[in-house]
Amino acid sequence: MSAIVNRNDDEVAPRRYRTLFLSDIHLGTRGCQAELLLDFFKHNESEELFLVGDIVDGWRLKSGWYWPQAHNDVVQKFLRKVRKGTRVVFVPGNHDEFARDFVGMEFGGVEVEDHVLHKTADGKTLLILHGDQFDVVVRHARWLAHLGDWAYDFAIWVNCWFNRARRQFGLPYWSFSQWAKLKVKNAVNFIGDFEKTLAAEARRRGVDGIVCGHIHHAAIREIDGVTYVNTGDFVESCTAIAEHFDGTLELIHWKLLESERAQVEANTEPQFLPGARVAAE
């Protein structure tokens, strides 16, 4: 079974999952991949949809309003899914922390919750939260977090123009910020510490695993007996987590060229957990 769907084939019926998890969409920013997200929803459906924080970037909207029609279309898509019977749950993050004032309420049928316990088809309990609660920088040095946010936006802008040129020469997408994140020692250490901290929180709460976002680094892995799942983001990597009807979790990458998708299908297996197949990172 492939994690890659041919996005240009309108004749193919949407792939159906038990649950989809998405985070860090950052509506209201120029780096948001709203059109690609609508394309994702065109080809993927689920009984439940969890929006795991930073769906709307309130930080950026405070400094200047940016809200094109495609961003509004994404919000309408969420509401349309509710009307068609999908359970949609929004767990706010630090960028849309204003929504935490409305925890326990519904808007157009979209539930707003601080955190959620989700039972998978194979009986495992997953704690769902954004993850910023465990980021010391966000909690105790807000000005530094905003500085990092500005630097990330600049990197996205550079990537946008750089990759336009690469695609003209038939070259695949390459992310400077993702590369730097995995090469800079402090960033690598931060990711590792974040993952261990979230896994420890799941273990403290007596659940089988945790689903989060926040650090824009998608992963499915076992950490000391706990399933750690990070949805990544839908700005650069454009990733999502899907739960199949047998409880298997799959990491889906949606930002690929046709040639890249064919290569992935031919040479790799999708990342699965828990289940028979687990792809090494």
Side-chain angles (χ1 to χ4, degrees):
M1 176 163 42
S2 173
I4 308 301
V5 177
N6 189 332
R7 302 196 302 259
N8 294 326
D9 189 354
D10 295 330
E11 300 301 320
V12 176
R15 178 168 293 179
R16 192 151 179 82
Y17 300 97
R18 186 171 186 262
T19 315
L20 284 171
F21 305 87
L22 286 157
S23 77
D24 297 272
I25 297 172
H26 291 275
L27 293 168
T29 67
R30 296 183 185 278
C32 174
Q33 300 282 355
E35 292 86 356
L36 200 59
L37 180 59
L38 291 169
D39 179 66
F40 173 83
F41 282 131
K42 181 178 179 181
H43 292 89
N44 299 277
E45 295 180 350
S46 61
E47 294 180 352
E48 291 187 292
L49 170 63
F50 289 98
L51 304 172
V52 194
D54 286 1
I55 306 305
V56 177
D57 198 321
W59 291 9
R60 187 62 57 231
L61 289 173
K62 282 182 180 179
S63 61
W65 188 259
Y66 177 77
W67 196 270
Q69 182 59 44
H71 294 206
N72 195 55
D73 292 342
V74 169
V75 175
Q76 291 300 319
K77 174 63 74 173
F78 296 150
L79 299 175
R80 194 174 302 117
K81 283 184 172 296
V82 172
R83 292 195 295 270
K84 290 185 175 181
T86 301
R87 182 194 180 201
V88 180
V89 182
F90 170 37
V91 179
N94 52 304
H95 282 260
D96 43 26
E97 60 190 348
F98 60 86
R100 286 173 172 160
D101 293 335
F102 305 102
V103 164
M105 302 177 66
E106 292 186 8
F107 294 91
V110 176
E111 305 169 33
V112 183
E113 299 292 348
D114 178 69
H115 63 276
V116 184
L117 290 177
H118 173 68
K119 185 77 72 174
T120 63
D122 54 353
K124 294 182 173 60
T125 300
L126 302 178
L127 171 64
I128 304 171
L129 46 72
H130 182 61
D132 62 292
Q133 303 93 326
F134 302 91
D135 184 342
V136 175
V137 173
V138 171
R139 292 177 62 188
H140 301 296
R142 180 61 61 88
W143 68 271
L144 185 59
H146 278 281
L147 177 62
D149 183 57
W150 175 87
Y152 181 74
D153 284 347
F154 178 73
I156 293 291
W157 180 82
V158 171
N159 282 340
C160 178
W161 289 101
F162 178 67
N163 281 288
R164 282 187 183 181
R166 285 178 63 86
R167 290 195 177 226
Q168 287 181 353
F169 290 98
L171 298 174
Y173 181 86
W174 184 80
S175 169
F176 168 75
S177 61
Q178 291 287 340
W179 173 83
K181 187 184 294 184
L182 296 176
K183 292 295 183 181
V184 177
K185 182 178 180 180
N186 288 343
V188 173
N189 290 341
F190 169 77
I191 291 172
D193 291 345
F194 180 86
E195 293 176 343
K196 291 176 182 177
T197 299
L198 270 290
E201 177 65 14
R203 197 161 45 250
R204 186 184 72 82
R205 298 202 189 192
V207 297
D208 299 297
I210 192 162
V211 180
C212 61
H214 186 54
I215 61 171
H216 293 210
H217 184 68
I220 304 177
R221 62 165 56 94
E222 288 282 346
I223 301 177
D224 298 329
V226 171
T227 302
Y228 169 84
V229 181
N230 195 302
T231 58
D233 69 277
F234 225 90
V235 176
E236 279 196 278
S237 55
C238 295
T239 52
I241 300 294
E243 179 198 355
H244 292 266
F245 287 95
D246 63 356
T248 301
L249 298 177
E250 177 184 356
L251 172 57
I252 301 175
H253 293 267
W254 203 247
K255 191 171 187 179
L256 295 173
L257 293 169
E258 287 288 343
S259 58
E260 293 175 287
R261 285 201 300 275
Q263 184 176 2
V264 168
E265 288 180 327
N267 299 326
T268 66
E269 288 289 333
Q271 191 176 31
F272 286 94
L273 193 73
R277 291 182 289 178
V278 181
E281 294 191 61

